[in-house]
Amino acid sequence: MMRSLKRVAPQLLTLVVLAALVSWFFPGFLRIELTDGRLVGPVIDILKRGAPVALLAVGMTLVVATGGIDLSVGTVMAITGAVAASALVSGWGVPVALVLAMGAGLAAGFWNGCLVSVLGIQPIVATLILMTAGRGIAQLITEGRILTFTDTGFGFLGSGSLMGIPVPTLLWVSTAVLVALLMRRTALGLLIEAVGVNRRASALAGVNARGLIIVVYMASGLCAALAGIIATADIRGADANNAGLWLELDAILAVVIGGNSLLGGRFSIAAAVLGAMIIQTINTGILLAGFPSEYNLVIKAVLVLAILMIQSPHLASEWALIRLQAERRRTVRGQEGTR
Amino acid sequence: MLLTIRSLTKSFPGTKALDGVNFDLVAGEVHALLGENGAGKSTLIKCLTGAYRRDAGEIRLDGRAISPGSTSEAQDLGIGTVYQEVNLLANLTVAQNLTFGREPRRFGLVDGRAQKRAAEEMLQGYGLNIDVGRDLGSYSVAIQQIIAIARAVEVSGKVLILDEPTASLDAAEVAMLFDVVRRLRDRGLGIVFVSHFLDQVFALCDRLTVLRNGQHVVTERTDGLDRLALIHHMLGRELEAVETQGHAEGAGVQKPEMLRFDGMGRAGVIEPFDLKVRRGEVIGFAGLLGSGRTESAELLFGLRRARTGSARDTDGPLTIDTPQAAIAAGFGFAPEDRKTEGIVADLSIRENIILALQARRGWARRLPRAEQDRLAAQYIESLDIRTSDAEKPIGELSGGNQQKVVLARWLAMNPRFLILDEPTRGIDVGAHAEILKLIGRLTEDGMSVLIISSELDELVVAADRIIVVRDRRHVRELTGADLTADTILAAIAADDSPDESSGKNPVAIAAADAPKTAKEVR
Ligand SMILES: Nc1ncnc2c1ncn2[C@@H]1O[C@H](COP(=O)(O)OP(=O)(O)OP(=O)(O)O)[C@@H](O)[C@H]1O
Ligand SMILES: [Mg+2]
């Protein structure tokens, strides 16, 4: 417990600093009110809007832990959204729509996983295929239109709330907790990390590396499907061109801000979803602080750069050295003082 | 004095790897640096070459205080190093590796021809008949090691450091390397030589320095030094003798047969061979590097799929086409190349030890943490793995201790047939004896062991039966009175197939016969 807290300490600290920073410009930032049985306020808004990226980050963390990357998640959101919407428009009902959408996500992940682990294609290339081709598939499903529906049951997944908390928030939090528990209560986490650090040695020790790699891409596909469902439910329509656009990059960024190495190995899902919240806080914070919108991307880039620099392992060793030298100087001075 | 080190100190979290160490190197000497696994040898070297930053102490080269911040800086000062683990780039060609950072250029572009020529020149005198245009990774560890040495010699001018350079070389290659080292010494280089092979130390080195637990114990001239006294310096205690196992005539025959491999083979890798494994038996594979020893083992373990042949145990046929299938059949395999096939560097010692066990149980049945801790503690104790605790990443252990963890991973599986490829590479004299004893104990409990080793003495001590592999064929089986280093050597060197020209022989033999340039062969 203490160890996991220590692991996410940099991300928590970053969130606190960001919150303080935004409050400086927008004093009401931390205020939360209860209206019509729903919690409202900027923080709640962040927890809700950050849902798609947080969900993508959960799957992406697992993929990255094996030393891979999944560029197709944004596109998979569009595909699964389109699948769900067209199922609803065809009048098949919510359960069927959900099953079909999640099935589509799993299938997409299976495809990626096979390209990577069976055919041995570089992950970045393998998932690029679906990233580019997938929007076309989504357009075929929606027949080039924005497919809208009116099903309030499905819409509830995007804009409803339970016990005052937005449903998307509940969904990403419970997904993250479930997956994290699954990883650490079973041996999956260890085996994934082993494959990510040294696939050959792991395979030699009897780890089913090929199967595990397929599984993590399928998990990523499933997370993308959930994100796609939320995004579609929120706007009550599937937009093949814009749903999940560029979100794969935010997801990768969240994983990296979460301190997970892109080279694979040790991973933390908690840190990655905190990374997603950091990104969303920046996005929302910039708007709240009232900066002209043309500054948004620049400010975001500067903040992200600052966060990554503070976390950089190279800098960390420099810090340690500087501290050590300062300490030594102090002790030397102390000794001279006693003489 | 070429190089002087005074009160060098370096700590890692939980360990004081070096504690006020002094060390002197004179130009024109070969100076051995000795000590147990984890004594601090590699750390001393890394501080010297700028790979680590020292906490305190002074290093002087030619009387000038130096403080290299990186290995390239150290190279510019004239200190060249070959590390314990080959760290060249496997996916570049030999020529690219040799000339890395100093590629010959024409019109601003790398001149491939000149690069090859330069590389071939650098390798002259090492007697390697290899194609410098091929990827480094396609050559054995031994050849990679020699290439690393050639590169270090080329870039360094004053000091050459060799950290266990001979761990993966066979006798002919060692002799060849020693010639090179002596020549360099006579040219006036100061050479630091780290090794666990005391014979080699006595044969090659002028002086030696012993470290123990990060502290300097003694520096002495090698000639006149007693071997037992040296071991005492290293271990801080006497070495218990390993009694050789009884190789009484036919001792193995009484043991019941457990496994049987018929006609296992794969074209271009190893010719079909038969192998019977009896319960509680130790089989040795002897042969030069590249002779097909490791490849035979890989076939047995399903790491490479056999194209012909079958395996069976007393209950019936076995299908062994993947490591997983082999493990399910009760096999284990500790590979030769520890860094790329053995350790999972970022994971802890505990996780590395339980990895194979966990993989066999499947992902859903996690080994309880208490059980993991117990296993880790047990093997850290019984194999004397030097570490501050079981949660340390294995990559931070000294080389020999990493090897012990990989061994522990397989011992924890309690396999019935354990294949050990160079199990004692990089392991100190004390632990070496311990491991041979351990193998003896395991076989008493009924485990069968296959040892592949370049150390003939080790094979002779441990094995009941030795199979000699040459030119990708199993050529002889030695038992009983034939189990001596001399008969093995003779069998390895014998040339009983008249149609074979010596050019087809493995590199090392060709090298021992007469140094040829790579061109002649091609
Ligand atoms: N990067 C590191 N981080 C933490 N501890 C380390 C690191 N490198 C070495 N150590 C520790 O320092 C000690 C000395 O290690 P070193 O590699 O110098 O031993 P060695 O004498 O070279 O042993 P061997 O014969 O096994 O190669 C060991 O206890 C090791 O665990
Ligand atoms: Mg070492």
Side-chain angles (χ1 to χ4, degrees):
Chain A
M1 196 65 221
M2 274 316 287
R3 177 121 31 96
S4 359
L5 259 184
K6 204 171 155 201
R7 170 67 180 80
V8 298
Q11 286 74 32
L12 285 176
L13 205 70
T14 309
L15 271 179
V16 170
V17 171
L18 277 178
L21 206 63
V22 179
S23 301
W24 173 276
F25 289 100
F26 184 84
F29 178 65
L30 290 175
R31 192 176 307 140
I32 297 175
E33 283 161 7
L34 195 68
T35 43
D36 300 339
R38 287 167 166 247
L39 295 173
V40 283
V43 174
I44 301 297
D45 193 52
I46 288 171
L47 288 173
K48 182 188 165 211
R49 284 179 190 276
V53 173
L55 281 166
L56 296 182
V58 171
M60 188 70 75
T61 305
L62 301 182
V63 171
V64 164
T66 63
I69 199 147
D70 188 352
L71 293 182
S72 71
V73 288
T75 305
V76 173
M77 276 179 70
I79 296 177
T80 52
V83 167
S86 66
L88 289 172
V89 169
S90 312
W92 294 346
V94 177
V96 176
L98 288 178
V99 168
L100 284 180
M102 293 203 256
L106 285 171
F110 183 72
W111 161 264
N112 284 330
C114 286
L115 290 186
V116 172
S117 92
V118 181
L119 298 187
I121 301 176
Q122 294 270 336
I124 200 163
V125 179
T127 56
L128 194 63
I129 297 172
L130 191 56
M131 178 186 174
T132 43
R135 297 247 167 231
I137 298 174
Q139 280 163 0
L140 286 179
I141 297 170
T142 62
E143 289 157 358
R145 297 171 292 135
I146 294 184
L147 216 53
T148 54
F149 54 87
T150 48
D151 191 305
T152 46
F154 195 81
F156 179 74
L157 293 173
S159 44
S161 63
L162 262 179
M163 296 171 301
I165 305 170
V167 174
T169 308
L170 292 172
L171 273 175
W172 77 254
V173 171
S174 50
T175 304
V177 169
L178 271 177
V179 174
L181 280 180
L182 183 70
M183 289 299 138
R184 299 303 168 192
R185 288 295 139 101
T186 70
L188 269 177
L190 172 68
L191 298 179
I192 287 173
E193 287 173 342
V195 169
V197 177
N198 190 340
R199 178 171 172 185
R200 193 169 161 76
S202 308
L204 221 146
V207 179
N208 181 359
R210 181 176 289 191
L212 276 174
I213 289 174
I214 295 180
V215 165
V216 294
Y217 282 94
M218 288 177 71
S220 179
L222 188 61
C223 287
L226 287 176
I229 288 168
I230 289 177
T232 306
D234 195 24
I235 61 168
R236 302 190 189 217
D239 179 353
N241 291 324
N242 296 310
L245 196 63
W246 304 130
L247 285 197
E248 59 278 341
L249 299 182
D250 270 358
I252 294 167
L253 194 60
V255 171
V256 173
I257 290 179
N260 297 298
S261 163
L262 287 181
L263 297 177
R266 294 273 186 227
F267 69 89
S268 163
I269 287 175
V273 293
L274 284 175
M277 288 305 115
I278 289 173
I279 294 176
Q280 189 59 47
T281 307
I282 294 175
N283 287 343
T284 306
I286 291 172
L287 291 179
L288 288 177
F291 287 106
S293 57
E294 53 273 26
Y295 286 109
N296 284 7
L297 291 176
V298 177
I299 296 174
K300 185 175 168 186
V302 169
L303 284 174
V304 167
L305 185 69
I307 293 168
L308 292 180
M309 265 174 57
I310 293 168
Q311 287 183 8
S312 146
H314 287 282
L315 283 179
S317 64
E318 293 294 320
W319 288 136
L321 194 78
I322 291 167
R323 221 176 310 150
L324 196 78
Q325 278 169 348
E327 220 163 84
R328 204 171 296 152
R329 237 173 282 133
R330 258 201 309 280
T331 50
V332 168
R333 228 177 281 137
Q335 280 161 1
E336 279 166 358
T338 53
R339 239 181 267 153
Chain B
M1 202 60 62
L2 178 60
L3 180 79
T4 44
I5 295 177
R6 286 289 165 267
S7 36
L8 186 63
T9 299
K10 172 81 193 172
S11 301
F12 295 108
T15 351
K16 197 154 201 180
L18 291 174
D19 187 3
V21 172
N22 297 341
F23 182 80
D24 295 309
L25 184 67
V26 194
E29 77 163 342
V30 183
H31 194 139
L33 186 58
L34 305 174
E36 290 177 282
N37 294 131
K41 305 179 294 293
S42 297
T43 307
L44 175 77
I45 286 165
K46 286 183 182 156
C47 287
L48 190 57
T49 59
Y52 290 158
R53 251 187 260 236
R54 61 181 183 267
D55 297 346
E58 187 186 49
I59 302 176
R60 286 179 175 275
L61 184 67
D62 284 331
R64 225 158 37 86
I66 58 165
S67 207
S70 68
T71 39
S72 62
E73 212 175 296
Q75 276 174 5
D76 292 342
L77 289 167
I79 304 176
T81 318
V82 176
Y83 289 103
Q84 194 165 2
E85 319 286 350
V86 177
N87 60 348
L88 298 178
L89 303 168
N91 53 356
L92 296 187
T93 66
V94 173
Q96 284 168 333
N97 268 293
L98 280 170
T99 57
F100 192 77
R102 303 169 306 124
E103 295 89 349
R105 286 174 190 276
R106 258 178 90 197
F107 314 122
L109 297 174
V110 175
D111 180 352
R113 283 248 206 93
Q115 190 176 34
K116 273 192 168 180
R117 229 177 303 124
E120 276 164 11
E121 261 163 41
M122 283 167 75
L123 287 180
Q124 245 165 41
Y126 292 88
L128 289 184
N129 296 317
I130 59 172
D131 178 0
V132 296
R134 271 177 64 187
D135 283 356
L136 182 76
S138 62
Y139 292 104
S140 68
V141 185
I143 292 173
Q144 295 185 21
Q145 189 82 344
I146 294 180
I147 291 165
I149 290 168
R151 182 182 154 83
V153 168
E154 192 74 12
V155 296
S156 67
K158 296 175 182 162
V159 177
L160 174 64
I161 302 171
L162 306 172
D163 193 353
E164 300 195 34
T166 56
S168 38
L169 306 193
D170 62 44
E173 289 165 326
V174 168
M176 180 172 79
L177 173 71
F178 280 13
D179 282 345
V180 175
V181 171
R182 290 199 186 97
R183 267 208 298 282
L184 294 169
R185 172 187 64 190
D186 296 341
R187 251 170 50 186
L189 258 73
I191 296 162
V192 181
F193 181 79
V194 181
S195 177
H196 291 294
F197 297 103
L198 299 187
D199 291 339
Q200 295 180 0
V201 169
F202 281 104
L204 182 69
C205 300
D206 306 301
R207 290 200 298 160
L208 56 83
T209 290
V210 177
L211 299 181
R212 189 165 73 228
N213 293 332
Q215 289 179 330
H216 176 266
V217 177
V218 71
T219 299
E220 283 193 63
R221 290 205 61 79
T222 316
D223 43 353
L225 182 65
D226 176 46
R227 199 187 161 93
L228 288 178
L230 174 58
I231 291 176
H232 188 93
H233 283 317
M234 288 168 61
L235 306 187
R237 60 182 162 83
E238 302 303 333
L239 183 67
E240 297 156 43
V242 193
E243 66 279 21
T244 49
Q245 289 179 316
H247 297 309
E249 197 86 34
V253 182
Q254 274 88 17
K255 294 172 184 165
E257 184 176 305
M258 184 183 74
L259 291 167
R260 180 185 202 132
F261 301 90
D262 288 313
M264 299 288 283
R266 185 182 167 114
V269 176
I270 185 89
E271 283 183 32
F273 63 91
D274 300 338
L275 184 71
K276 282 185 206 125
V277 183
R278 299 190 188 94
R279 216 175 108 82
E281 179 185 40
V282 181
I283 305 171
F285 274 2
L288 299 171
L289 277 150
S291 59
R293 312 177 307 191
T294 296
E295 289 77 0
S296 303
E298 287 176 350
L299 244 51
L300 297 179
F301 193 66
L303 196 58
R304 282 182 205 240
R305 210 167 279 197
R307 288 272 185 260
T308 62
S310 60
R312 54 181 300 123
D313 63 4
T314 43
D315 296 334
L318 297 168
T319 314
I320 295 180
D321 48 3
T322 60
Q324 273 171 291
I327 290 168
F331 295 11
F333 179 45
E336 173 183 21
D337 188 347
R338 167 174 70 221
K339 193 177 175 185
T340 60
E341 303 185 328
I343 65 167
V344 184
D346 294 353
L347 298 192
S348 69
I349 297 169
R350 165 179 59 82
E351 289 165 320
N352 267 281
I353 290 178
I354 61 127
L355 184 61
L357 202 57
Q358 182 64 67
R360 185 173 62 186
R361 285 170 67 98
W363 62 269
R365 290 172 56 225
R366 196 175 84 112
L367 203 64
R369 180 58 191 260
E371 179 68 9
Q372 298 186 17
D373 288 335
R374 195 190 60 73
L375 280 168
Q378 176 190 332
Y379 285 105
I380 287 174
E381 152 105 60
S382 68
L383 297 183
D384 191 20
I385 298 168
R386 300 289 167 88
T387 175
S388 45
D389 68 302
E391 296 308 308
K392 194 164 174 164
I394 190 175
E396 293 180 2
L397 286 187
S398 77
N401 284 305
Q402 294 180 358
Q403 180 71 12
K404 292 185 199 172
V405 174
V406 174
L407 261 177
R409 177 188 297 164
W410 292 107
L411 296 181
M413 299 283 282
N414 192 23
R416 56 175 171 163
F417 179 45
L418 179 57
I419 306 170
L420 302 173
D421 197 351
E422 299 282 4
T424 57
R425 170 176 301 168
I427 278 185
D428 68 48
V429 272
H432 191 276
E434 288 297 327
I435 286 176
L436 290 189
K437 259 196 271 178
L438 182 78
I439 291 173
R441 273 208 304 281
L442 292 171
T443 51
E444 269 166 36
D445 296 342
M447 188 186 292
S448 307
V449 179
L450 170 65
I451 301 184
I452 302 174
S453 178
S454 303
E455 269 188 83
L456 300 185
D457 294 333
E458 172 179 307
L459 281 181
V460 169
V461 170
D464 302 311
R465 188 153 63 97
I466 289 175
I467 289 159
V468 177
V469 189
R470 186 177 67 226
D471 297 342
R472 313 203 160 270
R473 269 190 307 134
H474 288 208
V475 290
R476 264 196 86 180
E477 179 168 325
L478 304 171
T479 48
D482 282 344
L483 285 180
T484 66
D486 289 336
T487 36
I488 301 174
L489 256 183
I492 290 176
D495 194 355
D496 48 12
S497 42
D499 55 303
E500 258 176 325
S501 70
S502 62
K504 266 169 129 192
N505 274 357
V507 175
I509 283 202
D513 291 349
K516 298 188 182 75
T517 64
K519 278 182 199 124
E520 267 177 74
V521 176
R522 265 183 284 137

